[in-house]
Structures are given as C-alpha cells and as structure tokens.
Amino acid sequence: MDERMVVYEAKKQSPIVAYILLVFFGVLGAHNFYLGRREQATAQLVCSGAVLATLVWLFLSFAGAGMGEFSGGFDAMARRVFALYAISIIWGIGIFAWLMVNAIQVPRLTAEHNLRLYRRMFGE
C-alpha cells in the first residue's frame, strides 16, 4: 500500500465522529470544526456565546431580584423574566433547526471533506 494512502486513511474524517460531535457539542460548532468548515463553526460558536452571555446576564439580574437588589419593581422583573424565556425559546428553536440541517448534511459534508483531502494528497 502506498504511504500516501496510509496517511489519507489516517486523516480522513468519519461521519460517525461528526455525528457524535454534533450531538454532544453541536451548539459550539464542534462538528463543523471537525469537518473543516471553520466559518460556519465560528458563526455557531459566536451565536451560542452571545446568547449564553445574554441569558447569564438576564438570569443574574433575575436572581438579584430575589436578593432585593432589583430596581424598577415587579414590572421590570416581569419584563426580564419574559426576555429570559423568549430568548431561550427562540435560540433553542433556531439552534435545533440549524443542527437538524447539519445532521442531514453530515454524510455529504464528510464525503466532500474526504474528497478534498484526497485531491490535495494525490493531485487528482
């Protein structure tokens, strides 16, 4: 067996690994990093980070209300609780849809990645 073929077999990506990354770390774009799709992976990571930061801020401001540190009365607290739930639901639906589309695309994306790798290694 050609040495290049051994290297190719060692470097090619597996759809099973991509699915495992999608299931456990899909929100962070790990499966896209694995498949060499850095732009989409970075977008998923940034979106998730921004939403997480917003949710933490809202949660902490809501938790602060229980400690008597909340100014603005019950109305302001109700608006923040609603915002917390609304952002959580919208983000959850959006990321679920994004991940479902990615899950459907994993076999094709893996094959494309492996084909690019093969062409780069063997010059075909």
Side-chain angles (χ1 to χ4, degrees), residues 10-11 21 26 31 43 46 63 69-70 72 74-75 82 91 101 104 113 120-121:
K11 288 187 174 188
L21 290 171
H31 59 291
V46 168
E69 300 171 10
F70 200 78
F74 181 77
D75 263 1
F82 175 76
W91 177 76
V101 169
I104 293 167
H113 179 275
R120 189 170 51 239
M121 291 184 71

Side-chain angles (χ1 to χ4, degrees), residues 17-39:
V17 173
Y19 276 122
I20 291 170
L21 290 171
L22 185 136
V23 168
F24 291 105
F25 304 107
V27 172
L28 303 174
H31 59 291
N32 284 316
F33 280 116
Y34 176 72
L35 294 172
R37 302 177 69 209
R38 288 182 181 87
E39 294 85 14

Side-chain angles (χ1 to χ4, degrees), residues 40-78:
Q40 184 161 0
T42 303
Q44 282 179 311
L45 189 60
V46 168
C47 287
S48 293
V51 169
L52 182 64
T54 302
L55 291 175
V56 167
W57 175 76
L58 284 169
F59 179 77
L60 290 176
S61 68
F62 177 67
M67 306 290 235
E69 300 171 10
F70 200 78
S71 60
F74 181 77
D75 263 1
M77 183 175 74

Side-chain angles (χ1 to χ4, degrees), residues 58-113:
L58 284 169
F59 179 77
L60 290 176
S61 68
F62 177 67
M67 306 290 235
E69 300 171 10
F70 200 78
S71 60
F74 181 77
D75 263 1
M77 183 175 74
R79 281 194 302 271
R80 288 206 178 160
V81 168
F82 175 76
L84 176 71
Y85 287 118
I87 290 171
S88 298
I89 289 169
I90 291 169
W91 177 76
I93 291 170
I95 201 70
F96 179 77
W98 195 346
L99 291 176
M100 288 301 101
V101 169
N102 281 175
I104 293 167
Q105 294 176 335
V106 161
R108 179 182 57 83
L109 296 172
T110 306
E112 287 174 358
H113 179 275

